[in-house]
Amino acid sequence: MTADATTLQALPAALRAALGDAHVLTGTDAAAREQDWRQRWPGRALAVARPGSTEEVATVLRLAARHGASVVPQGGNTGLVGGGVPDDSGRQLVLSLGRMNRIREIDAANLTMTAEAGCVLQALQQAAAEQGLLFPLSLAAEGSCTIGGNLATNAGGTQVLRYGNARELCLGLEVVTAQGEVWSGLSGLRKDNTGYDLRDLFIGSEGTLGVITAATLKLHPQPVATLTALAACPDLPACVALLMRARARLGAGLTGFEVMNRLSLDLVRQHFPQLPQPLPGAPWTVLLELADGESEAHARGLFEGLMEAALDDGCCTDAVVAESLAQSQALWQLRESIPLAQAAAGANIKHDIALPVSRIPDFVAATDAALAAAFPGAALVNFGHLGDGNLHYNVQAPPGVSPREFLARHEPAVNTLVYDGVMAHGGSISAEHGIGRLKREELAERKSPVALGLMRAIKQALDPQGLLNPGRVL
Amino acid sequence: MTADATTLQALPAALRAALGDAHVLTGTDAAAREQDWRQRWPGRALAVARPGSTEEVATVLRLAARHGASVVPQGGNTGLVGGGVPDDSGRQLVLSLGRMNRIREIDAANLTMTAEAGCVLQALQQAAAEQGLLFPLSLAAEGSCTIGGNLATNAGGTQVLRYGNARELCLGLEVVTAQGEVWSGLSGLRKDNTGYDLRDLFIGSEGTLGVITAATLKLHPQPVATLTALAACPDLPACVALLMRARARLGAGLTGFEVMNRLSLDLVRQHFPQLPQPLPGAPWTVLLELADGESEAHARGLFEGLMEAALDDGCCTDAVVAESLAQSQALWQLRESIPLAQAAAGANIKHDIALPVSRIPDFVAATDAALAAAFPGAALVNFGHLGDGNLHYNVQAPPGVSPREFLARHEPAVNTLVYDGVMAHGGSISAEHGIGRLKREELAERKSPVALGLMRAIKQALDPQGLLNPGRVL
């Protein structure tokens, strides 16, 4: 190779010298890392670097800086917003954390676990369970997503109501900066007021401020019994009233509170007829989960007391409590099959939004009506984590209209209508999926200029050359 | 006044014109705001500005910048590290948030409350209670500290084990930047992944990055019953074992877990002989608090089951569960009287430290031994929030030695010994009190250069003129 040793084209060779040939992929070997799993963002990478240690990550970043390559950190590549795949310039380096998959320590008496960024979420759940402990982060992609990506995007999931987002489950981080320095901020401390909260700044920054290489995570005691119930509610205000009741009665025992509108479950019935639906035809169905420290009988008593009171005052019109673990799993399967049933029904326009719980009924009423007026016949598949104020508010083409055609023609207008409603009701246009490339322009338009100015100042301060995941978030 | 309209000396007049004469204090009127309540940092202010609205805070910051005055934000002036009072140059402006004391909104169905920075913590607790809800932040100064100060210092207190620090109780902020711009980040959302976590960056930054003017706070359902118990433990490892047991059995019901060594309670007996001590002479005494969503009888049953098991396996040697609210309060009074008993016994060298819970026994054994060797006869008053890994590890002069003299001669060496031990055991030199001026040099020495570099880059980016609370933290 005769190219100047610091040109972009010389970077793969420099990386091979540093990491070994096997850990720098180019050409077809790199293909799986160049686009997202939904194939929305086909890209082309200069190379894929697979460092095996924190020091090697630092080396990769220093080499990238020297050769003028920007760096796209990648975990399990399960993201939904195009944040973890390269653009199509062929000039970006993908930094895959997959080889950094050691659990460094489990400290049971401190209820903490220190794990490297490339650990698959499910492996962490299992490692905690083997100690009789719980790592509560749980989401659909848990079999392949990695904890580094979970933290970089502040992942949510199904247990946020009780245990918080990924942010709340993290006590400390190890991060490689844009300059290739290592911040050793791993810490098993519940209290530490020694300066600015760097941890939370890196969490949720989607790889644009630094590369997370390891984290110290909170563990919890395993509940003795977990029980699931289903309730039929007449409308959304009744769902909110049931949530208030459940929070007051079950306290921290309430670990899940999911809502599903009728169309969501109708789609499930249509595409997964084998799944039993114990409360068919309800305008709204709520799935509740209760984790109990005492016994299944105690949990059942609590649930039955709650449901009796809720039936009495009209919050719900019917309810069932699962009789077995298998029944519990079947109820969760209903909820989890909605995205699959939707996919089977054709493309739709997805919105991952959050609102104050108290304003959800008004938002849904107003936005449903506005959509019905603007796009007659369009259908609302509306479900999500009501306990966290997080809705997956998805718009489907009218019957008889080609979904692809509907999307091609109306997606921007539908998004504008929905996001206008979200903003008017004090909400967020990205609850748990992040910004990435998908919502970057939307964010620039809708976030306050002061907030954007603060974000840009921080980006400039930490990554003045703009090497880390450029074009994402900001 | 003939001075140049932009000199420092012209600032009070400009502030009077903007805020009204009554809200700009100088001379003796300002005295109460110029030093901390423990009179450790006597200062002299150019003036004290008392803006009544967010817009007025922005005006004050813009005027201060124009006149070249640095600004010291001040809440209830209850801090312990000199972070909220001016230096003695007479050139700093105190920005008192006391007039901004409105509760803007309580949204019961969203379990949130939006309050201005100058609201006294106790007033917020009461406002929540009037709605049948709980704002769980609770600490000794709650009758006079303000929520703005609580957030600026990420306050801890007695309920952290269950509800987290001030950080975990805050969903959104309104902040005036160093440039006098208003970031309207008030939000009642539990999930919001739209960009960098500015909220957590301002929380705990001790007024050096921006001025918090309002916050949206999380509320919780009120527990139905709260019960307190006391347990006598043979040693610290037994206290840790009891904590593990209590967390596993009581789950989120466990709201407090405080330890007190024998000397702590001996001092209380000596100075407050009227307080009953149900388990006298124990090497270590644990105070447990349990909040229950069902009934007092249910809580009592849980406590009794826990204590029986703990007695069986030797975690504790004796235990009592409070029979009444009055008894519960008396037990808490024991714990809360320790600082007062210590003060009565004379000055001592205080350390507000945090450690991984699992490493506390080793840290205490090693550090006790090192102190005994270096300072024969010095006594350890050791108590704190074991559930959070937070100890108040205080060193008292040997009997017969003048406390003042002991401090004057040995304080730096004692601090070095204790903080060396803290660092060697993965701990923090400031668990909940912050850095301020007290621990600024200690932080500069002990924090990693990479972390300090990141902090300085952020400070420079957000406050390039260094106007906000200079000389604190960094």
Side-chain angles (χ1 to χ4, degrees), chain A residues 176-200:
Chain A
V176 178
T177 68
Q179 292 74 37
E181 293 187 302
V182 179
W183 172 48
S184 300
L186 294 173
S187 149
L189 303 175
R190 261 95 185 159
K191 285 185 174 176
D192 182 13
N193 280 344
T194 55
Y196 303 158
D197 183 9
L198 302 173
R199 173 191 66 202
D200 283 314

Side-chain angles (χ1 to χ4, degrees), chain A residues 267-305:
Chain A
L267 280 178
V268 172
R269 187 181 0 262
Q270 199 179 324
H271 295 279
F272 301 97
Q274 73 280 19
L275 291 180
Q277 295 212 9
L279 302 173
W284 289 87
T285 304
V286 175
L287 187 159
L288 301 95
E289 188 185 81
L290 169 59
D292 197 277
E294 294 177 57
S295 66
E296 194 184 310
H298 181 253
R300 194 170 299 279
L302 284 177
F303 248 160
E304 286 170 357

Side-chain angles (χ1 to χ4, degrees), chain B residues 346-383:
Chain B
N348 57 77
I349 307 173
K350 292 188 199 301
H351 306 101
D352 165 47
I353 56 179
L355 296 140
V357 171
S358 53
R359 302 189 71 180
I360 283 182
D362 280 354
F363 163 80
V364 171
T367 311
D368 280 9
L371 284 168
F375 310 98
L380 274 310
V381 181
N382 188 356
F383 63 99

Side-chain angles (χ1 to χ4, degrees), chain B residues 244-266:
Chain B
M244 293 299 293
R245 251 190 195 296
R247 291 198 61 152
R249 279 205 173 221
L250 310 179
L254 183 67
T255 52
F257 195 99
E258 303 281 317
V259 296
M260 303 165 270
N261 76 347
R262 180 168 177 166
L263 183 54
S264 310
L265 289 178
D266 284 352

